[in-house]
Amino acid sequence: MAVKVLYTAHAVASGGRNGHTESRDGIVKADLSVPKAMGGPGKPGTTTPEDLFAAGYAACFGGAVDFLAGKMQLKPSSVEIEVAVGIGTDDTGFGLTADITAWIGGLDQADADKLVAAAHEFCPYSKATRGNIAHGLKVVVV
């Protein structure tokens, strides 16, 4: 399936996991450090590629929930998405996991579950990772 590209983001990284990354427009800038849990220095004030991926995934997934709520004629009073991205070893070296938790206000559990499941099918990040990493999906009505 071809994608009609509407926007392209550009970012550059140097120094790998103990380096620096930033978007070409300079808005996103982050120093990187391998966490101590992975045997790295875990430098204060730094982040990881997994943190950046989790932040982007959470924002995209939240956008999918908002978009589909309108299409499904549902009106949640609040939507908050957390994506926990894990990295660890697998049979080929390293692999990722993504656990998504959606806190949905103003809907009953059945509608919230239906909305979040639809968002998981619709979200470009979910599509890109489906079949490639393990996902968890949890819906909490608040």
Side-chain angles (χ1 to χ4, degrees):
M1 175 168 68
V3 174
K4 180 182 172 190
V5 175
L6 303 174
Y7 172 79
T8 301
H10 297 268
V12 176
S14 60
R17 287 182 164 271
N18 285 305
H20 179 82
T21 189
E22 77 179 66
S23 59
R24 279 284 188 205
D25 61 11
I27 293 173
V28 176
K29 298 177 185 182
D31 290 323
L32 306 168
S33 179
V34 175
K36 288 181 180 182
M38 291 179 63
K43 295 178 193 169
T46 63
T47 191
T48 68
E50 293 71 35
D51 290 325
L52 298 170
F53 181 58
Y57 198 162
C60 187
F61 198 94
V65 170
D66 290 342
F67 178 79
L68 290 173
K71 293 277 187 195
M72 298 168 73
Q73 299 183 340
L74 297 171
K75 296 186 186 321
S77 60
S78 63
V79 174
E80 185 174 303
I81 307 298
E82 177 183 359
V83 177
V85 173
I87 183 169
T89 58
D90 66 10
D91 294 341
T92 63
F94 285 92
L96 298 175
T97 63
D99 292 311
I100 303 164
T101 303
W103 287 273
I104 308 294
L107 299 179
D108 64 27
Q109 189 70 51
D111 282 343
D113 288 342
K114 183 171 61 172
L115 175 58
V116 171
H120 193 39
E121 292 300 312
F122 182 82
C123 173
Y125 279 62
S126 291
K127 287 181 185 179
T129 58
R130 187 170 292 114
N132 298 309
I133 68 174
H135 285 93
L137 189 60
K138 180 180 178 183
V139 181
V140 179
V141 172
V142 294

